[in-house]
Amino acid sequence: MRMLRNEELAEKERINDALLELSNRMVKVRDRKDLLHVINSGLRKAINFTACVMTILDEVHQTYNAFLTDPESKSRDYAAYNEAISTPYPVGDGIYDVAARSEEPVLFDMRNFDVENAPVWFKLHYAAGAREMLIKALPGEDVRRHSLILFSDETGTFDDCAVHIIERIASQLSTAASNITANEEILNRESEKSFLLDFSQNIAAVRTKPDLEAAISDALEHLLSTRLAMIRVIEDDGVTLTPYLWDISLFAGVMDMFDQLANRRATVDEYFFAQVLASKEPIVIDIAEEERKGNSPNYIAFWKRLGLKNVYAAALRVGQENLGTMFFLSDNLNLNLLKGLCAQISIAISNIRANEKILAYKQLLEIENDQLKEQIRTIYNFSEIVGSGPEMQEVYHLMSLVADSASTVLLLGETGTGKELIARAIHSASPRRDKLMIKVNCAALPASLIESELFGHEKGAFTGAVERRIGKFELADQSTLFLDEIGEMPLEAQVKLLRVLQEKELERIGGKTTIKVDVRIIAATNRNLEEEVRAGRFRSDLYYRLNVFPIVLPPLRNRRDDIVPLTHFFVDRYNKTSGRKVTGFSPRVIQELQAYPWPGNVRELEHLVERSVLLSEDAIIREIHLPKLRPEEKMPVAPLSRTLSEVERTYIIEVLRQFQGKISGMDGAAEFLDIPATTLHSKIKKLKISKADYF
Ligand SMILES: Nc1ncnc2c1ncn2[C@@H]1O[C@H](COP(=O)(O)OP(=O)(O)OP(=O)(O)O)[C@@H](O)[C@H]1O
């Protein structure tokens, strides 16, 4: 008897020592691994269990999950191990709830259970040999979050003494487990925060939709192991939800349903969208539950085909304003993180959309601005066209009358008077300006080719037609066709041209189908077409068709006031292209230019200026080489219509212009003219020359 008491005492002492050691070691526990080690080595000294597990209740107290599992447990060798430790179990499974309700540890004789229908973890341990288990729901601050489960292969292992030991270490174990969990949660929050910080940095750099897509899919896949199903944005009407971004790869197998759902008009008041938009937090849609309630059957059917149990959704929101919705396909997401992500995505999308609007607005302004500039340039100013005298004013007036319409224009005038220049200006001022004006030089082509040039031909239409060719008429569809030197067009081609102008359709040579075209014609000639008609070289019907809106360009000799400005214009142009710095022409040269009759008109003047600029060694060109004129080209030196004082006035203005208005002193206009400065002053006054004339 005494012996027994001694043995008992010794046993008690051993257990006390074991508990003391356990409790000392428990204080130092930092993580799950430490805790497992303490239980496995320390607790085993006091209780002879074969395996241990700890579980934890989820945040919403719906399921319990593995918290600690013993990597050396025999159950590891069984196929169901991974499933057993990764499955959340419902709290009302008949084992957990029994243990959780009890203050004391609960002993289960595993042989009494219907193993077939027991939870996976139970089956697993049973298969590994366990026959008895002891569960202690550990006391927690507000709820018993953690539980300790000990297994033994032998029944009777968990006697009163074992129960007593568990009771004694329960609160310490609970504290250790709670600390670990709290620590882990802090760490998780920290890593969530740092992730969100990284994400926010990534997303701050996002300017376009594709960038955003990349940033989102990266974040979702790495952190939440999910992908974005669909982001929809609320349109300006405040009702329509338009698809904005989605991951098409998710829907490969269900494209038919996806197309149907994405293409129909969704609105903010539809069941799921309304729920998402009304909720401050991301929501979890339990598909089975919603199906039972009969909500939005088409979405439910779609999600079910994707094999999902849950869908997560959140509102895109900046401040109080809803911008749209986001849906994620996943069975299990970290809601906190999702919320953080959605907040950032919302800001990014709102910025991108604002940016897009600004860009669109900017583009619109640019287009308008271009159009305005174009209008100013062509209709009111025609800045490439020099000439301010009444003859050219009349030309501009006619141009601005006709430009906007699709009317045929006939440009008449001697060679080099600027007919092509005017044709281009009319096209640029017309609504067809966005397309290229197509030009055909009717004089440059042999009669045999002109038809093919104008109307095109099919492959093999005639010898040499190795490829199909699109004619200029077709090319000019929706644009302008400039028929230069129309007077030179062979009669045969004139017939065909007339047909196209009448029918507004053509056939390629060798072709069988007719092609409709919408072409605006501007024709030009330096011939007198009426005379050509009389001589039978030009068809009268074609002439009447072309002569709808004739514009006659005056020869240069009839607008001598334009000679000086044109000279300056070309000097500037060739200075730019040749890098020279010619400032102008000497008064004598100007005089010669004005006296010359310019049979080649502006083109001739242009070539002359080009030559002179290239040959000049001085800033002022003092000599030019005008061609010797045939007697019939000769003209009086000054046109009789001009008075002496008019000639004098033009001349003084030109000199003042060259000397930038400097009258007296070295390099002054008076010295150049070889008259006293006072005389020049009084002439300026008398001839009513103002600064505006030479600046
Ligand atoms: N008013 C003008 N202002 C500036 N440059 C002009 C002017 N008129 C003609 N030019 C220039 O003169 C040259 C000849 O003009 P363009 O080719 O338009 O004449 P055209 O009447 O079509 O000649 P052609 O009958 O020989 O085909 C071009 O380089 C053109 O830019």
Side-chain angles (χ1 to χ4, degrees), residues 193-221:
K193 263 194 209 147
S194 86
F195 168 79
L196 285 176
L197 201 67
D198 280 355
F199 183 66
S200 81
Q201 270 161 9
N202 280 350
I203 220 158
V206 157
R207 291 281 169 278
T208 62
K209 225 160 126 177
D211 289 352
L212 175 71
E213 201 172 354
I216 293 180
S217 75
D218 215 40
L220 289 178
E221 256 178 83

Side-chain angles (χ1 to χ4, degrees), residues 537-599:
R537 288 190 293 268
F538 205 84
R539 290 185 64 105
S540 59
D541 40 11
L542 180 60
Y543 171 64
Y544 294 125
R545 211 155 248 280
L546 294 176
N547 197 27
V548 181
F549 196 95
I551 300 180
V552 181
L553 296 184
L556 190 55
R557 65 184 164 279
N558 287 2
R559 46 186 180 114
R560 286 175 184 277
D561 282 347
D562 290 341
I563 291 176
V564 172
L566 273 167
T567 308
H568 279 286
F569 177 73
F570 293 130
V571 162
D572 282 350
R573 182 185 283 176
Y574 293 112
N575 271 344
K576 271 190 203 121
T577 52
S578 68
R580 303 197 176 230
K581 294 197 174 58
V582 171
T583 51
F585 290 76
S586 73
R588 194 174 52 79
V589 170
I590 296 275
Q591 233 174 358
E592 279 179 56
L593 293 178
Q594 280 182 328
Y596 183 71
W598 300 111

Side-chain angles (χ1 to χ4, degrees), residues 384-387 392 396 413-422 482 484-485 526 553 559 566 569-570 573 602-603 606:
E384 287 291 292
I385 308 171
V386 179
M392 284 309 283
Y396 302 147
E414 291 176 15
T415 179
T417 42
K419 296 185 289 297
E420 181 170 345
L421 188 70
I422 299 296
F482 176 49
D484 200 7
E485 317 281 9
N526 51 23
L553 296 184
R559 46 186 180 114
L566 273 167
F569 177 73
F570 293 130
R573 182 185 283 176
V602 184
R603 182 182 294 110
E606 182 182 352

Side-chain angles (χ1 to χ4, degrees), residues 352-376:
I352 290 175
R353 296 199 83 205
N355 238 359
E356 282 169 355
K357 276 192 185 156
I358 292 171
L359 268 182
Y361 188 58
K362 195 173 147 231
Q363 257 166 11
L364 204 76
L365 282 182
E366 273 170 6
I367 292 170
E368 272 178 14
N369 197 14
D370 280 354
Q371 285 176 355
L372 277 177
K373 271 196 207 148
E374 183 88 359
Q375 266 181 15
I376 292 167

Side-chain angles (χ1 to χ4, degrees), residues 281-323:
E281 304 288 324
I283 64 167
V284 189
I285 299 169
D286 179 337
I287 299 175
E289 177 68 20
E290 299 295 346
E291 188 177 24
R292 257 195 305 281
K293 291 193 213 153
N295 291 322
S296 285
N298 43 1
Y299 275 101
I300 298 290
F302 177 58
W303 292 330
K304 277 179 70 180
R305 255 184 76 186
L306 285 163
L308 294 160
K309 291 195 195 109
N310 294 326
V311 166
Y312 286 70
L316 275 175
R317 190 175 288 131
V318 173
Q320 300 295 315
E321 193 195 354
N322 280 333
L323 301 179

Side-chain angles (χ1 to χ4, degrees), residues 200-381:
S200 81
Q201 270 161 9
N202 280 350
I203 220 158
V206 157
R207 291 281 169 278
T208 62
K209 225 160 126 177
D211 289 352
L212 175 71
E213 201 172 354
I216 293 180
S217 75
D218 215 40
L220 289 178
E221 256 178 83
H222 280 105
L223 210 86
L224 294 170
S225 335
T226 184
R227 282 190 284 171
L228 171 72
M230 167 80 79
I231 291 181
R232 283 176 184 268
V233 291
I234 303 174
E235 289 302 327
D236 289 341
D237 63 6
V239 181
T240 314
L241 275 163
T242 310
Y244 185 75
L245 214 72
W246 59 93
D247 184 344
I248 198 78
S249 63
L250 287 172
F251 308 110
V254 288
M255 271 323 277
D256 49 338
M257 283 180 103
F258 174 78
D259 281 344
Q260 253 180 21
L261 287 173
N263 290 337
R264 54 176 270 288
R265 177 175 176 252
T267 54
V268 291
D269 46 15
E270 275 174 40
Y271 180 71
F272 286 125
F273 298 125
Q275 274 200 330
V276 175
L277 292 169
S279 166
K280 279 202 165 60
E281 304 288 324
I283 64 167
V284 189
I285 299 169
D286 179 337
I287 299 175
E289 177 68 20
E290 299 295 346
E291 188 177 24
R292 257 195 305 281
K293 291 193 213 153
N295 291 322
S296 285
N298 43 1
Y299 275 101
I300 298 290
F302 177 58
W303 292 330
K304 277 179 70 180
R305 255 184 76 186
L306 285 163
L308 294 160
K309 291 195 195 109
N310 294 326
V311 166
Y312 286 70
L316 275 175
R317 190 175 288 131
V318 173
Q320 300 295 315
E321 193 195 354
N322 280 333
L323 301 179
T325 57
M326 291 183 248
F327 280 75
F328 305 90
L329 303 186
S330 172
D331 277 336
N332 191 13
L333 284 187
N334 175 336
L335 286 178
N336 249 337
L337 207 53
L338 190 65
K339 192 176 169 188
L341 274 180
C342 290
Q344 313 244 18
I345 294 172
S346 300
I347 295 172
I349 290 187
S350 142
N351 286 347
I352 290 175
R353 296 199 83 205
N355 238 359
E356 282 169 355
K357 276 192 185 156
I358 292 171
L359 268 182
Y361 188 58
K362 195 173 147 231
Q363 257 166 11
L364 204 76
L365 282 182
E366 273 170 6
I367 292 170
E368 272 178 14
N369 197 14
D370 280 354
Q371 285 176 355
L372 277 177
K373 271 196 207 148
E374 183 88 359
Q375 266 181 15
I376 292 167
R377 202 163 68 74
T378 50
I379 305 216
Y380 304 111
N381 184 359

Side-chain angles (χ1 to χ4, degrees), residues 97-234:
D97 48 346
V98 172
R101 274 199 302 269
S102 168
E103 293 276 315
E104 275 106 46
V106 182
L107 180 67
F108 293 89
D109 185 339
M110 294 171 80
R111 293 168 307 181
N112 297 339
F113 279 78
D114 168 10
V115 179
E116 265 317 293
N117 295 314
V120 184
W121 63 265
F122 185 98
K123 278 190 215 169
L124 179 75
H125 284 278
Y126 194 87
R131 292 297 175 264
E132 189 174 74
M133 65 180 182
L134 184 75
I135 306 184
K136 169 67 182 164
L138 301 172
E141 259 180 24
D142 48 353
V143 67
R144 295 182 186 130
R145 281 198 75 186
H146 299 92
S147 298
L148 173 71
I149 313 177
L150 296 180
F151 296 94
S152 169
D153 294 357
E154 307 278 328
T155 51
T157 307
F158 304 126
D159 54 9
D160 287 353
C161 176
V163 170
H164 178 65
I165 291 169
I166 297 293
E167 294 276 35
R168 283 184 59 187
I169 62 157
S171 76
Q172 254 193 315
L173 202 54
S174 165
T175 311
S178 303
N179 283 347
I180 293 170
T181 306
N183 253 343
E184 284 176 353
E185 276 169 5
I186 290 172
L187 280 177
N188 277 345
R189 296 263 181 281
E190 293 283 310
S191 78
E192 280 171 14
K193 263 194 209 147
S194 86
F195 168 79
L196 285 176
L197 201 67
D198 280 355
F199 183 66
S200 81
Q201 270 161 9
N202 280 350
I203 220 158
V206 157
R207 291 281 169 278
T208 62
K209 225 160 126 177
D211 289 352
L212 175 71
E213 201 172 354
I216 293 180
S217 75
D218 215 40
L220 289 178
E221 256 178 83
H222 280 105
L223 210 86
L224 294 170
S225 335
T226 184
R227 282 190 284 171
L228 171 72
M230 167 80 79
I231 291 181
R232 283 176 184 268
V233 291
I234 303 174

